[in-house]
């Protein structure tokens, strides 16, 4: 049986706390986990998006929706949501590293809707490379929300 066929499941006490905190203040993002991954060499944005999509599809924790009924929070495993993956090219910026960091911090600050299954977002940033080197791809904010 596929995980997404199981129906609503109980949440853990920490998940319940995060849900309740977010209901009180949807702008909270203290439960957001960000990661910075630098890939040396040329990176194909289409192939990177497919790799990320496959990783999310294979990770149950990144594909759940949360809902509350009768004061009980439940999580429902679901099929993969549409992956929100935009790219940013900072090669023309005066300070590509600073711009990359600004973009990453802005992505981390975006609100999350746990009821919609908005638990995973990715923002690949393509900074400039030294002359003669292939461009680097910094995949900013591989963010799992739990």
């Amino acid at each position: 049986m596929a995980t997404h066929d199981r129906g609503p499941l109980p949440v853990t006490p920490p998940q319940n706390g995060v849900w309740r905190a977010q209901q009180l203040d949807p702008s909270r993002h203290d439960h957001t986990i960000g990661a910075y991954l630098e890939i040396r060499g040329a990176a194909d944005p289409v192939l990177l998006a497919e790799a990320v999509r496959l990783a999310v599809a294979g990770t149950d924790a990144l594909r759940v929706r949360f809902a509350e009924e009768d004061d009980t929070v439940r999580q429902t495993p679901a099929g993969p949501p549409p992956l929100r993956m935009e790219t940013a090219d900072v090669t023309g910026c005066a300070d590509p590293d600073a711009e990359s960091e600004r973009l990453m911090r802005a992505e981390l600050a975006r609100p999350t809707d746990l009821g919609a299954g908005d638990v995973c977002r990715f923002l690949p940033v393509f900074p400039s490379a030294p002359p003669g080197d292939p461009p680097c791809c910094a995949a900013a904010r591989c963010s799992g929300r739990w």
Side-chain angles (χ1 to χ4, degrees), residues 5-68:
D5 294 336
R6 289 193 219 157
L9 303 168
V11 296
T12 65
Q15 287 173 316
N16 187 58
V18 168
W19 171 265
R20 302 227 180 266
Q22 189 186 42
Q23 298 312 297
L24 292 172
D25 181 1
S27 67
R28 287 180 68 132
H29 49 267
D30 52 338
H31 58 279
T32 299
I33 301 168
Y36 175 89
L37 172 66
E38 189 170 307
I39 301 170
R40 291 284 175 191
D44 182 328
V46 174
L47 292 176
L48 180 61
E50 180 63 9
V52 169
R53 189 192 65 72
L54 289 171
V56 171
T59 308
D60 289 344
L62 298 177
R63 297 183 292 108
V64 295
R65 313 304 184 266
F66 293 82
E68 184 173 0

